[in-house]
PDB file of all heavy atoms in Angstrom:
ATOM      1  N   PHE A   1     124.908 105.362 108.168  1.00 58.00           N
ATOM      2  CA  PHE A   1     123.896 105.156 107.132  1.00 58.00           C
ATOM      3  C   PHE A   1     122.546 105.769 107.591  1.00 58.00           C
ATOM      4  O   PHE A   1     122.300 105.900 108.817  1.00 58.00           O
ATOM      5  CB  PHE A   1     123.681 103.717 106.865  1.00 58.00           C
ATOM      6  CG  PHE A   1     124.970 103.013 106.452  1.00 58.00           C
ATOM      7  CD1 PHE A   1     125.563 102.232 107.359  1.00 58.00           C
ATOM      8  CD2 PHE A   1     125.412 103.242 105.209  1.00 58.00           C
ATOM      9  CE1 PHE A   1     126.747 101.564 106.965  1.00 58.00           C
ATOM     10  CE2 PHE A   1     126.631 102.625 104.826  1.00 58.00           C
ATOM     11  CZ  PHE A   1     127.263 101.719 105.737  1.00 58.00           C
ATOM     12  N   ARG A   2     121.703 106.060 106.662  1.00 65.00           N
ATOM     13  CA  ARG A   2     120.329 106.462 107.017  1.00 65.00           C
ATOM     14  C   ARG A   2     119.463 105.223 106.823  1.00 65.00           C
ATOM     15  O   ARG A   2     119.483 104.576 105.807  1.00 65.00           O
ATOM     16  CB  ARG A   2     119.862 107.571 106.074  1.00 65.00           C
ATOM     17  CG  ARG A   2     120.686 108.864 106.180  1.00 65.00           C
ATOM     18  CD  ARG A   2     120.120 109.904 105.235  1.00 65.00           C
ATOM     19  NE  ARG A   2     119.826 109.371 103.896  1.00 65.00           N
ATOM     20  CZ  ARG A   2     120.699 109.353 102.878  1.00 65.00           C
ATOM     21  NH1 ARG A   2     121.919 109.727 103.064  1.00 65.00           N
ATOM     22  NH2 ARG A   2     120.386 108.940 101.696  1.00 65.00           N
ATOM     23  N   SER A   3     118.652 105.007 107.819  1.00 61.00           N
ATOM     24  CA  SER A   3     117.799 103.807 107.769  1.00 61.00           C
ATOM     25  C   SER A   3     116.615 104.128 106.768  1.00 61.00           C
ATOM     26  O   SER A   3     116.156 105.235 106.744  1.00 61.00           O
ATOM     27  CB  SER A   3     117.298 103.473 109.111  1.00 61.00           C
ATOM     28  OG  SER A   3     116.394 102.380 109.063  1.00 61.00           O
ATOM     29  N   SER A   4     116.154 103.082 106.004  1.00 63.00           N
ATOM     30  CA  SER A   4     115.067 103.253 105.124  1.00 63.00           C
ATOM     31  C   SER A   4     113.747 103.316 105.817  1.00 63.00           C
ATOM     32  O   SER A   4     112.773 103.710 105.181  1.00 63.00           O
ATOM     33  CB  SER A   4     115.151 102.140 104.074  1.00 63.00           C
ATOM     34  OG  SER A   4     114.874 100.941 104.700  1.00 63.00           O
ATOM     35  N   GLY A   5     113.669 102.864 107.111  1.00 69.00           N
ATOM     36  CA  GLY A   5     112.486 102.869 107.830  1.00 69.00           C
ATOM     37  C   GLY A   5     111.637 101.650 107.576  1.00 69.00           C
ATOM     38  O   GLY A   5     110.523 101.529 108.146  1.00 69.00           O
ATOM     39  N   GLN A   6     112.083 100.741 106.759  1.00 73.00           N
ATOM     40  CA  GLN A   6     111.355  99.522 106.479  1.00 73.00           C
ATOM     41  C   GLN A   6     111.790  98.428 107.436  1.00 73.00           C
ATOM     42  O   GLN A   6     112.968  98.444 107.942  1.00 73.00           O
ATOM     43  CB  GLN A   6     111.690  99.014 104.986  1.00 73.00           C
ATOM     44  CG  GLN A   6     111.114  99.967 103.972  1.00 73.00           C
ATOM     45  CD  GLN A   6     111.504  99.448 102.546  1.00 73.00           C
ATOM     46  OE1 GLN A   6     112.241  98.523 102.478  1.00 73.00           O
ATOM     47  NE2 GLN A   6     110.921 100.105 101.566  1.00 73.00           N
ATOM     48  N   ASP A   7     110.898  97.527 107.743  1.00 80.00           N
ATOM     49  CA  ASP A   7     111.266  96.439 108.580  1.00 80.00           C
ATOM     50  C   ASP A   7     111.945  95.316 107.686  1.00 80.00           C
ATOM     51  O   ASP A   7     111.205  94.656 106.945  1.00 80.00           O
ATOM     52  CB  ASP A   7     110.023  95.863 109.276  1.00 80.00           C
ATOM     53  CG  ASP A   7     109.486  96.763 110.362  1.00 80.00           C
ATOM     54  OD1 ASP A   7     110.296  97.585 110.844  1.00 80.00           O
ATOM     55  OD2 ASP A   7     108.309  96.733 110.574  1.00 80.00           O
ATOM     56  N   LEU A   8     113.233  95.231 107.790  1.00 79.00           N
ATOM     57  CA  LEU A   8     113.991  94.221 107.003  1.00 79.00           C
ATOM     58  C   LEU A   8     114.543  93.126 107.929  1.00 79.00           C
ATOM     59  O   LEU A   8     114.644  93.326 109.069  1.00 79.00           O
ATOM     60  CB  LEU A   8     115.144  94.981 106.303  1.00 79.00           C
ATOM     61  CG  LEU A   8     114.806  96.075 105.348  1.00 79.00           C
ATOM     62  CD1 LEU A   8     116.053  96.689 104.844  1.00 79.00           C
ATOM     63  CD2 LEU A   8     113.971  95.514 104.196  1.00 79.00           C
ATOM     64  N   THR A   9     114.933  92.002 107.288  1.00 84.00           N
ATOM     65  CA  THR A   9     115.637  91.014 108.012  1.00 84.00           C
ATOM     66  C   THR A   9     116.993  91.419 108.269  1.00 84.00           C
ATOM     67  O   THR A   9     117.477  92.481 107.760  1.00 84.00           O
ATOM     68  CB  THR A   9     115.610  89.691 107.234  1.00 84.00           C
ATOM     69  OG1 THR A   9     116.376  89.932 106.024  1.00 84.00           O
ATOM     70  CG2 THR A   9     114.155  89.206 106.884  1.00 84.00           C
ATOM     71  N   THR A  10     117.724  90.660 109.101  1.00 80.00           N
ATOM     72  CA  THR A  10     119.099  91.041 109.421  1.00 80.00           C
ATOM     73  C   THR A  10     119.986  91.089 108.115  1.00 80.00           C
ATOM     74  O   THR A  10     120.756  92.030 107.880  1.00 80.00           O
ATOM     75  CB  THR A  10     119.736  90.028 110.386  1.00 80.00           C
ATOM     76  OG1 THR A  10     118.940  90.006 111.506  1.00 80.00           O
ATOM     77  CG2 THR A  10     121.098  90.389 110.772  1.00 80.00           C
ATOM     78  N   TRP A  11     119.782  90.090 107.267  1.00 87.00           N
ATOM     79  CA  TRP A  11     120.478  90.091 106.025  1.00 87.00           C
ATOM     80  C   TRP A  11     120.117  91.303 105.137  1.00 87.00           C
ATOM     81  O   TRP A  11     120.959  91.890 104.445  1.00 87.00           O
ATOM     82  CB  TRP A  11     120.350  88.730 105.266  1.00 87.00           C
ATOM     83  CG  TRP A  11     121.130  87.673 105.854  1.00 87.00           C
ATOM     84  CD1 TRP A  11     120.652  86.678 106.666  1.00 87.00           C
ATOM     85  CD2 TRP A  11     122.533  87.498 105.789  1.00 87.00           C
ATOM     86  NE1 TRP A  11     121.702  85.859 107.002  1.00 87.00           N
ATOM     87  CE2 TRP A  11     122.809  86.365 106.488  1.00 87.00           C
ATOM     88  CE3 TRP A  11     123.552  88.128 105.139  1.00 87.00           C
ATOM     89  CZ2 TRP A  11     124.141  85.857 106.604  1.00 87.00           C
ATOM     90  CZ3 TRP A  11     124.852  87.679 105.260  1.00 87.00           C
ATOM     91  CH2 TRP A  11     125.116  86.557 105.968  1.00 87.00           C
ATOM     92  N   GLY A  12     118.868  91.610 105.089  1.00 85.00           N
ATOM     93  CA  GLY A  12     118.367  92.758 104.317  1.00 85.00           C
ATOM     94  C   GLY A  12     118.947  94.085 104.805  1.00 85.00           C
ATOM     95  O   GLY A  12     119.334  94.938 104.026  1.00 85.00           O
ATOM     96  N   THR A  13     119.093  94.160 106.134  1.00 78.00           N
ATOM     97  CA  THR A  13     119.620  95.364 106.731  1.00 78.00           C
ATOM     98  C   THR A  13     121.123  95.523 106.342  1.00 78.00           C
ATOM     99  O   THR A  13     121.535  96.593 105.905  1.00 78.00           O
ATOM    100  CB  THR A  13     119.474  95.406 108.224  1.00 78.00           C
ATOM    101  OG1 THR A  13     118.104  95.229 108.551  1.00 78.00           O
ATOM    102  CG2 THR A  13     119.995  96.649 108.810  1.00 78.00           C
ATOM    103  N   TYR A  14     121.815  94.462 106.436  1.00 80.00           N
ATOM    104  CA  TYR A  14     123.229  94.558 106.096  1.00 80.00           C
ATOM    105  C   TYR A  14     123.457  94.740 104.585  1.00 80.00           C
ATOM    106  O   TYR A  14     124.335  95.416 104.172  1.00 80.00           O
ATOM    107  CB  TYR A  14     124.067  93.286 106.591  1.00 80.00           C
ATOM    108  CG  TYR A  14     124.148  93.350 108.081  1.00 80.00           C
ATOM    109  CD1 TYR A  14     123.770  92.266 108.892  1.00 80.00           C
ATOM    110  CD2 TYR A  14     124.787  94.443 108.758  1.00 80.00           C
ATOM    111  CE1 TYR A  14     123.955  92.321 110.333  1.00 80.00           C
ATOM    112  CE2 TYR A  14     124.883  94.475 110.113  1.00 80.00           C
ATOM    113  CZ  TYR A  14     124.478  93.422 110.919  1.00 80.00           C
ATOM    114  OH  TYR A  14     124.652  93.560 112.212  1.00 80.00           O
ATOM    115  N   THR A  15     122.591  94.085 103.746  1.00 85.00           N
ATOM    116  CA  THR A  15     122.705  94.284 102.358  1.00 85.00           C
ATOM    117  C   THR A  15     122.428  95.800 102.009  1.00 85.00           C
ATOM    118  O   THR A  15     123.166  96.337 101.105  1.00 85.00           O
ATOM    119  CB  THR A  15     121.681  93.398 101.620  1.00 85.00           C
ATOM    120  OG1 THR A  15     121.947  92.028 101.917  1.00 85.00           O
ATOM    121  CG2 THR A  15     121.721  93.599 100.122  1.00 85.00           C
ATOM    122  N   GLU A  16     121.483  96.432 102.661  1.00 80.00           N
ATOM    123  CA  GLU A  16     121.229  97.832 102.446  1.00 80.00           C
ATOM    124  C   GLU A  16     122.413  98.672 102.835  1.00 80.00           C
ATOM    125  O   GLU A  16     122.769  99.613 102.159  1.00 80.00           O
ATOM    126  CB  GLU A  16     119.940  98.254 103.234  1.00 80.00           C
ATOM    127  CG  GLU A  16     119.560  99.704 103.016  1.00 80.00           C
ATOM    128  CD  GLU A  16     118.419 100.087 103.907  1.00 80.00           C
ATOM    129  OE1 GLU A  16     118.314  99.571 104.997  1.00 80.00           O
ATOM    130  OE2 GLU A  16     117.681 101.030 103.459  1.00 80.00           O
ATOM    131  N   MET A  17     122.997  98.316 103.939  1.00 78.00           N
ATOM    132  CA  MET A  17     124.205  99.105 104.419  1.00 78.00           C
ATOM    133  C   MET A  17     125.361  98.996 103.366  1.00 78.00           C
ATOM    134  O   MET A  17     125.984  99.977 103.060  1.00 78.00           O
ATOM    135  CB  MET A  17     124.663  98.600 105.799  1.00 78.00           C
ATOM    136  CG  MET A  17     123.786  99.017 106.875  1.00 78.00           C
ATOM    137  SD  MET A  17     124.344  98.289 108.468  1.00 78.00           S
ATOM    138  CE  MET A  17     122.999  98.668 109.485  1.00 78.00           C
ATOM    139  N   VAL A  18     125.597  97.782 102.904  1.00 83.00           N
ATOM    140  CA  VAL A  18     126.706  97.584 101.952  1.00 83.00           C
ATOM    141  C   VAL A  18     126.374  98.288 100.660  1.00 83.00           C
ATOM    142  O   VAL A  18     127.297  99.005 100.104  1.00 83.00           O
ATOM    143  CB  VAL A  18     126.878  96.090 101.700  1.00 83.00           C
ATOM    144  CG1 VAL A  18     127.787  95.771 100.453  1.00 83.00           C
ATOM    145  CG2 VAL A  18     127.451  95.389 102.920  1.00 83.00           C
ATOM    146  N   SER A  19     125.147  98.292 100.219  1.00 82.00           N
ATOM    147  CA  SER A  19     124.805  98.943  98.941  1.00 82.00           C
ATOM    148  C   SER A  19     124.936 100.520  99.140  1.00 82.00           C
ATOM    149  O   SER A  19     125.332 101.190  98.231  1.00 82.00           O
ATOM    150  CB  SER A  19     123.419  98.571  98.513  1.00 82.00           C
ATOM    151  OG  SER A  19     122.420  99.132  99.294  1.00 82.00           O
ATOM    152  N   ARG A  20     124.554 100.999 100.267  1.00 79.00           N
ATOM    153  CA  ARG A  20     124.699 102.446 100.527  1.00 79.00           C
ATOM    154  C   ARG A  20     126.110 102.881 100.562  1.00 79.00           C
ATOM    155  O   ARG A  20     126.461 104.044 100.244  1.00 79.00           O
ATOM    156  CB  ARG A  20     123.963 102.875 101.802  1.00 79.00           C
ATOM    157  CG  ARG A  20     122.476 102.883 101.713  1.00 79.00           C
ATOM    158  CD  ARG A  20     121.879 103.406 102.994  1.00 79.00           C
ATOM    159  NE  ARG A  20     120.449 103.336 102.964  1.00 79.00           N
ATOM    160  CZ  ARG A  20     119.626 104.343 102.588  1.00 79.00           C
ATOM    161  NH1 ARG A  20     120.233 105.460 102.215  1.00 79.00           N
ATOM    162  NH2 ARG A  20     118.364 104.175 102.621  1.00 79.00           N
ATOM    163  N   PHE A  21     127.058 101.994 100.960  1.00 79.00           N
ATOM    164  CA  PHE A  21     128.457 102.270 100.980  1.00 79.00           C
ATOM    165  C   PHE A  21     129.012 102.200  99.562  1.00 79.00           C
ATOM    166  O   PHE A  21     129.839 102.979  99.161  1.00 79.00           O
ATOM    167  CB  PHE A  21     129.207 101.388 101.890  1.00 79.00           C
ATOM    168  CG  PHE A  21     130.698 101.576 101.940  1.00 79.00           C
ATOM    169  CD1 PHE A  21     131.177 102.731 102.554  1.00 79.00           C
ATOM    170  CD2 PHE A  21     131.553 100.718 101.351  1.00 79.00           C
ATOM    171  CE1 PHE A  21     132.604 102.955 102.605  1.00 79.00           C
ATOM    172  CE2 PHE A  21     132.873 100.869 101.320  1.00 79.00           C
ATOM    173  CZ  PHE A  21     133.449 102.054 101.954  1.00 79.00           C
ATOM    174  N   THR A  22     128.724 101.108  98.808  1.00 86.00           N
ATOM    175  CA  THR A  22     129.321 100.895  97.518  1.00 86.00           C
ATOM    176  C   THR A  22     128.843 101.777  96.431  1.00 86.00           C
ATOM    177  O   THR A  22     129.566 102.021  95.436  1.00 86.00           O
ATOM    178  CB  THR A  22     129.212  99.405  97.124  1.00 86.00           C
ATOM    179  OG1 THR A  22     127.814  99.097  97.076  1.00 86.00           O
ATOM    180  CG2 THR A  22     129.881  98.461  98.053  1.00 86.00           C
ATOM    181  N   GLU A  23     127.622 102.246  96.435  1.00 83.00           N
ATOM    182  CA  GLU A  23     127.057 103.058  95.405  1.00 83.00           C
ATOM    183  C   GLU A  23     127.874 104.356  95.179  1.00 83.00           C
ATOM    184  O   GLU A  23     128.224 104.614  94.042  1.00 83.00           O
ATOM    185  CB  GLU A  23     125.583 103.431  95.682  1.00 83.00           C
ATOM    186  CG  GLU A  23     124.673 102.254  95.477  1.00 83.00           C
ATOM    187  CD  GLU A  23     123.264 102.567  95.963  1.00 83.00           C
ATOM    188  OE1 GLU A  23     122.986 103.662  96.394  1.00 83.00           O
ATOM    189  OE2 GLU A  23     122.420 101.617  95.896  1.00 83.00           O
ATOM    190  N   PRO A  24     128.270 105.131  96.201  1.00 83.00           N
ATOM    191  CA  PRO A  24     129.107 106.298  95.990  1.00 83.00           C
ATOM    192  C   PRO A  24     130.476 105.924  95.484  1.00 83.00           C
ATOM    193  O   PRO A  24     131.066 106.610  94.660  1.00 83.00           O
ATOM    194  CB  PRO A  24     129.188 106.955  97.302  1.00 83.00           C
ATOM    195  CG  PRO A  24     128.056 106.463  98.135  1.00 83.00           C
ATOM    196  CD  PRO A  24     127.813 105.059  97.570  1.00 83.00           C
ATOM    197  N   VAL A  25     131.070 104.831  95.928  1.00 88.00           N
ATOM    198  CA  VAL A  25     132.307 104.385  95.482  1.00 88.00           C
ATOM    199  C   VAL A  25     132.290 104.038  93.968  1.00 88.00           C
ATOM    200  O   VAL A  25     133.183 104.499  93.217  1.00 88.00           O
ATOM    201  CB  VAL A  25     132.864 103.148  96.285  1.00 88.00           C
ATOM    202  CG1 VAL A  25     134.118 102.542  95.679  1.00 88.00           C
ATOM    203  CG2 VAL A  25     133.018 103.561  97.743  1.00 88.00           C
ATOM    204  N   LEU A  26     131.292 103.304  93.553  1.00 90.00           N
ATOM    205  CA  LEU A  26     131.166 102.965  92.100  1.00 90.00           C
ATOM    206  C   LEU A  26     130.925 104.248  91.305  1.00 90.00           C
ATOM    207  O   LEU A  26     131.459 104.401  90.167  1.00 90.00           O
ATOM    208  CB  LEU A  26     130.045 101.975  91.901  1.00 90.00           C
ATOM    209  CG  LEU A  26     130.340 100.529  92.480  1.00 90.00           C
ATOM    210  CD1 LEU A  26     129.075  99.719  92.347  1.00 90.00           C
ATOM    211  CD2 LEU A  26     131.502  99.989  91.825  1.00 90.00           C
ATOM    212  N   LEU A  27     130.118 105.118  91.793  1.00 89.00           N
ATOM    213  CA  LEU A  27     129.915 106.381  91.087  1.00 89.00           C
ATOM    214  C   LEU A  27     131.223 107.207  90.914  1.00 89.00           C
ATOM    215  O   LEU A  27     131.533 107.755  89.851  1.00 89.00           O
ATOM    216  CB  LEU A  27     128.850 107.257  91.801  1.00 89.00           C
ATOM    217  CG  LEU A  27     128.471 108.598  91.158  1.00 89.00           C
ATOM    218  CD1 LEU A  27     127.781 108.333  89.733  1.00 89.00           C
ATOM    219  CD2 LEU A  27     127.511 109.306  91.999  1.00 89.00           C
ATOM    220  N   ALA A  28     132.012 107.259  91.966  1.00 91.00           N
ATOM    221  CA  ALA A  28     133.311 107.969  91.929  1.00 91.00           C
ATOM    222  C   ALA A  28     134.224 107.266  90.888  1.00 91.00           C
ATOM    223  O   ALA A  28     134.893 107.996  90.132  1.00 91.00           O
ATOM    224  CB  ALA A  28     133.932 108.053  93.301  1.00 91.00           C
ATOM    225  N   LEU A  29     134.250 105.951  90.836  1.00 92.00           N
ATOM    226  CA  LEU A  29     135.043 105.291  89.883  1.00 92.00           C
ATOM    227  C   LEU A  29     134.637 105.539  88.481  1.00 92.00           C
ATOM    228  O   LEU A  29     135.447 105.666  87.580  1.00 92.00           O
ATOM    229  CB  LEU A  29     135.085 103.796  90.254  1.00 92.00           C
ATOM    230  CG  LEU A  29     135.901 103.345  91.443  1.00 92.00           C
ATOM    231  CD1 LEU A  29     135.668 101.900  91.710  1.00 92.00           C
ATOM    232  CD2 LEU A  29     137.373 103.705  91.324  1.00 92.00           C
ATOM    233  N   ALA A  30     133.302 105.537  88.264  1.00 92.00           N
ATOM    234  CA  ALA A  30     132.798 105.867  86.891  1.00 92.00           C
ATOM    235  C   ALA A  30     133.186 107.282  86.436  1.00 92.00           C
ATOM    236  O   ALA A  30     133.541 107.472  85.307  1.00 92.00           O
ATOM    237  CB  ALA A  30     131.273 105.665  86.916  1.00 92.00           C
ATOM    238  N   ILE A  31     133.119 108.190  87.386  1.00 92.00           N
ATOM    239  CA  ILE A  31     133.469 109.585  87.018  1.00 92.00           C
ATOM    240  C   ILE A  31     134.956 109.661  86.712  1.00 92.00           C
ATOM    241  O   ILE A  31     135.333 110.323  85.749  1.00 92.00           O
ATOM    242  CB  ILE A  31     133.109 110.560  88.163  1.00 92.00           C
ATOM    243  CG1 ILE A  31     131.563 110.609  88.274  1.00 92.00           C
ATOM    244  CG2 ILE A  31     133.729 111.901  88.001  1.00 92.00           C
ATOM    245  CD1 ILE A  31     131.021 111.373  89.454  1.00 92.00           C
ATOM    246  N   LEU A  32     135.798 109.007  87.484  1.00 92.00           N
ATOM    247  CA  LEU A  32     137.213 109.040  87.149  1.00 92.00           C
ATOM    248  C   LEU A  32     137.510 108.351  85.837  1.00 92.00           C
ATOM    249  O   LEU A  32     138.402 108.799  85.100  1.00 92.00           O
ATOM    250  CB  LEU A  32     138.031 108.283  88.308  1.00 92.00           C
ATOM    251  CG  LEU A  32     138.143 109.040  89.633  1.00 92.00           C
ATOM    252  CD1 LEU A  32     138.823 108.143  90.682  1.00 92.00           C
ATOM    253  CD2 LEU A  32     138.987 110.262  89.440  1.00 92.00           C
ATOM    254  N   ALA A  33     136.808 107.290  85.498  1.00 91.00           N
ATOM    255  CA  ALA A  33     136.954 106.647  84.169  1.00 91.00           C
ATOM    256  C   ALA A  33     136.605 107.523  83.052  1.00 91.00           C
ATOM    257  O   ALA A  33     137.354 107.603  82.070  1.00 91.00           O
ATOM    258  CB  ALA A  33     136.177 105.291  84.124  1.00 91.00           C
ATOM    259  N   MET A  34     135.481 108.213  83.238  1.00 89.00           N
ATOM    260  CA  MET A  34     135.074 109.192  82.115  1.00 89.00           C
ATOM    261  C   MET A  34     136.051 110.280  82.058  1.00 89.00           C
ATOM    262  O   MET A  34     136.439 110.767  80.915  1.00 89.00           O
ATOM    263  CB  MET A  34     133.710 109.727  82.469  1.00 89.00           C
ATOM    264  CG  MET A  34     132.598 108.706  82.233  1.00 89.00           C
ATOM    265  SD  MET A  34     130.918 109.410  82.374  1.00 89.00           S
ATOM    266  CE  MET A  34     130.912 110.224  83.892  1.00 89.00           C
ATOM    267  N   ARG A  35     136.549 110.764  83.160  1.00 87.00           N
ATOM    268  CA  ARG A  35     137.531 111.881  83.186  1.00 87.00           C
ATOM    269  C   ARG A  35     138.813 111.496  82.431  1.00 87.00           C
ATOM    270  O   ARG A  35     139.339 112.275  81.597  1.00 87.00           O
ATOM    271  CB  ARG A  35     137.873 112.253  84.622  1.00 87.00           C
ATOM    272  CG  ARG A  35     138.807 113.410  84.690  1.00 87.00           C
ATOM    273  CD  ARG A  35     139.012 113.785  86.141  1.00 87.00           C
ATOM    274  NE  ARG A  35     140.152 114.651  86.292  1.00 87.00           N
ATOM    275  CZ  ARG A  35     141.165 114.406  87.063  1.00 87.00           C
ATOM    276  NH1 ARG A  35     141.214 113.399  87.786  1.00 87.00           N
ATOM    277  NH2 ARG A  35     142.204 115.304  87.060  1.00 87.00           N
ATOM    278  N   SER A  36     139.292 110.294  82.731  1.00 85.00           N
ATOM    279  CA  SER A  36     140.540 109.777  82.034  1.00 85.00           C
ATOM    280  C   SER A  36     140.300 109.599  80.505  1.00 85.00           C
ATOM    281  O   SER A  36     141.201 109.836  79.706  1.00 85.00           O
ATOM    282  CB  SER A  36     141.051 108.522  82.640  1.00 85.00           C
ATOM    283  OG  SER A  36     140.182 107.498  82.328  1.00 85.00           O
ATOM    284  N   ARG A  37     139.042 109.249  80.104  1.00 83.00           N
ATOM    285  CA  ARG A  37     138.808 109.089  78.649  1.00 83.00           C
ATOM    286  C   ARG A  37     138.680 110.448  78.008  1.00 83.00           C
ATOM    287  O   ARG A  37     139.044 110.619  76.840  1.00 83.00           O
ATOM    288  CB  ARG A  37     137.486 108.356  78.392  1.00 83.00           C
ATOM    289  CG  ARG A  37     137.485 106.847  78.946  1.00 83.00           C
ATOM    290  CD  ARG A  37     138.460 106.053  78.084  1.00 83.00           C
ATOM    291  NE  ARG A  37     137.903 105.761  76.800  1.00 83.00           N
ATOM    292  CZ  ARG A  37     138.490 105.110  75.820  1.00 83.00           C
ATOM    293  NH1 ARG A  37     139.684 104.677  76.043  1.00 83.00           N
ATOM    294  NH2 ARG A  37     137.920 104.924  74.631  1.00 83.00           N
ATOM    295  N   ILE A  38     138.174 111.426  78.663  1.00 84.00           N
ATOM    296  CA  ILE A  38     137.988 112.752  78.116  1.00 84.00           C
ATOM    297  C   ILE A  38     139.344 113.432  77.982  1.00 84.00           C
ATOM    298  O   ILE A  38     139.592 114.138  77.020  1.00 84.00           O
ATOM    299  CB  ILE A  38     137.065 113.614  78.912  1.00 84.00           C
ATOM    300  CG1 ILE A  38     135.587 113.009  78.825  1.00 84.00           C
ATOM    301  CG2 ILE A  38     137.042 115.120  78.546  1.00 84.00           C
ATOM    302  CD1 ILE A  38     134.650 113.664  79.790  1.00 84.00           C
ATOM    303  N   LYS A  39     140.210 113.240  78.915  1.00 74.00           N
ATOM    304  CA  LYS A  39     141.567 113.874  78.852  1.00 74.00           C
ATOM    305  C   LYS A  39     142.455 113.333  77.750  1.00 74.00           C
ATOM    306  O   LYS A  39     143.357 114.031  77.339  1.00 74.00           O
ATOM    307  CB  LYS A  39     142.263 113.658  80.240  1.00 74.00           C
ATOM    308  CG  LYS A  39     141.729 114.486  81.414  1.00 74.00           C
ATOM    309  CD  LYS A  39     142.412 114.241  82.623  1.00 74.00           C
ATOM    310  CE  LYS A  39     143.576 115.092  82.701  1.00 74.00           C
ATOM    311  NZ  LYS A  39     144.270 115.121  84.011  1.00 74.00           N
TER     312      LYS A  39
END
């Protein structure tokens, strides 16, 4: 991950890491859902 450079708490840091991982996964799932609807 790329750090945001902000001073976060431990929970905030891990929340940021989880969101940075899940955002591309959710975007890929949305693209696959649109692709299946278009086909």
Side-chain angles (χ1 to χ4, degrees):
F1 305 104
R2 295 179 318 270
S3 178
S4 65
Q6 297 177 350
D7 291 334
L8 300 174
T9 62
T10 302
W11 284 104
T13 302
Y14 287 125
T15 302
E16 181 185 30
M17 289 179 187
V18 167
S19 69
R20 286 186 185 264
F21 177 74
T22 56
E23 287 170 4
V25 171
L26 292 174
L27 182 62
L29 289 173
I31 291 171
L32 286 174
M34 287 189 307
R35 180 177 168 238
S36 68
R37 295 293 286 179
I38 292 171
K39 286 180 86 173

